[in-house]
Amino acid sequence: MASPRLLRKCLLAALPAALVAAASVAPAAHADPTPRAAQAVTFSDTFDGAAGSGVDQGKWQVETGDNVNNHERQYYTAGNNNAKLDGQGHLVIEARRENPANYQCWYGSCEYTSSRLNTSGKFTATYGHVEARMKIPRGQGIWPAFWMLGQDIGDVGWPNSGEIDIMENVGFEPGTVHGTLHGPGYSGSGGIGAGYSLPNGEAFADAFHTFAVDWAPNKITWSVDGAVYQTRTPADLNGNTWVFDKPFFLILNLAVGGYWPGDPDGSTSFPQQLVVDEVKVTTSDG
């Protein structure tokens, strides 16, 4: 397990696509026509367990603290205070308007609690199909994410570590999710990515959806429910370095407020829940 000092560094150094301007919706999604070779599961969590229990500590660690870099408003709590199993095969990450332990944030007394989990020191992947089936929350200032960071972040820092945002949603766009790459020369507002929108005014919070990337040397492809909406290669980086050919760890979190989503307002109800049905990583045998 990484040291608490490293975990804190990861929490504060990692800057999810906070400053990314609303990415343009990609061209019409299409099914990936490439037949997939036989797959081997390298990581899987279906969150089976007793209601109220915490996540499998052999797979996940729970980060704690606030995040001044993004100007998020929540405090990420320890243990199963804000992340627990529901007894029906789901992980529930819950954001609440509360401060039961007088947590201190960058702006003073914290106003919200939530949870952030990662697999650093427990599982990393280099290439493969990485997916999560989730039902995301809704509301102004609510910011769920499923993403990855280079395991070397403690040595090289962010954005040299690289960041692969598989799914981010900001509450003012209930029907759109974003996939983004961050690295040296293309981070923050310069992240390389696109958005995917549901048809007919549907909201992602209304049902479970599967968010995934297919990751190979010099190529990453994003999909929602199997529909591909963008592919990125080194040719997209305007001459900058591709830093995605090394081990990355997984992150699940539910943030409240920040530069990109803005803060909650009178229309935002609490608690809000990110409900995760499964997280799985598979790699092809050829």
Side-chain angles (χ1 to χ4, degrees):
M1 180 184 296
S3 70
R5 182 177 180 182
L6 175 57
L7 290 180
R8 180 66 174 173
K9 184 174 182 181
C10 288
L11 179 61
L12 295 181
L15 190 71
L19 302 178
V20 176
S24 60
V25 175
H30 56 278
D32 186 351
T34 307
R36 206 170 271 160
Q39 302 287 309
V41 176
T42 60
F43 179 92
S44 177
D45 199 336
T46 54
F47 304 107
D48 297 314
S53 58
V55 292
D56 184 342
Q57 296 183 12
K59 297 177 179 179
W60 301 96
Q61 57 187 345
V62 181
E63 299 187 31
T64 60
D66 63 344
N67 195 345
V68 63
N69 287 335
N70 287 340
H71 275 207
E72 298 166 17
R73 310 293 293 188
Q74 82 293 320
Y75 186 93
Y76 289 127
T77 65
N80 63 349
N81 289 330
N82 292 77
K84 62 186 68 175
L85 307 185
D86 69 356
Q88 301 177 45
H90 304 120
L91 165 67
V92 178
I93 298 177
E94 187 167 88
R96 307 180 193 126
R97 182 185 282 126
E98 65 172 10
N99 189 353
N102 194 29
Y103 299 118
Q104 295 301 301
C105 288
W106 59 269
Y107 56 88
S109 181
C110 302
E111 299 170 349
Y112 306 91
T113 62
S114 191
S115 187
R116 172 165 153 167
L117 314 175
N118 74 59
T119 67
S120 178
K122 299 174 183 291
F123 170 79
T124 60
T126 305
Y127 314 133
H129 178 82
V130 184
E131 71 173 38
R133 183 173 184 266
M134 303 185 291
K135 182 194 244 184
I136 69 170
R138 71 179 78 229
Q140 168 58 37
I142 304 300
W143 185 8
F146 173 48
W147 49 301
M148 297 190 286
L149 282 172
Q151 182 64 45
D152 60 356
I153 188 170
D155 297 320
V156 304
W158 186 93
N160 291 335
S161 61
E163 175 178 328
I164 303 170
D165 296 325
I166 302 170
M167 185 288 300
E168 290 184 283
N169 168 264
V170 286
F172 60 80
E173 296 179 329
T176 300
V177 294
H178 298 269
T180 313
L181 292 181
H182 299 270
Y186 50 102
S187 62
S189 61
I192 306 296
Y196 174 87
S197 295
L198 291 171
N200 305 318
E202 297 173 29
F204 275 100
D206 291 336
F208 282 90
H209 295 273
T210 299
F211 308 97
V213 292
D214 284 282
W215 172 26
N218 295 321
K219 182 180 180 182
I220 301 176
T221 298
W222 283 256
S223 63
V224 175
D225 298 327
V228 171
Y229 70 96
Q230 73 167 327
T231 297
R232 298 295 175 180
T233 71
D236 294 301
L237 304 186
N238 301 313
N240 292 303
T241 304
W242 179 267
V243 290
F244 308 103
D245 296 316
K246 60 185 179 183
F248 276 63
F249 61 91
L250 311 177
I251 305 169
L252 280 168
N253 73 286
L254 177 53
V256 179
Y259 286 127
W260 188 16
D263 291 341
D265 62 20
S267 70
T268 312
S269 63
F270 286 91
Q272 286 292 329
Q273 295 181 339
L274 172 61
V275 183
V276 188
D277 180 56
E278 182 178 20
V279 176
K280 183 168 64 175
V281 180
T282 57
T283 55
S284 171
D285 65 2

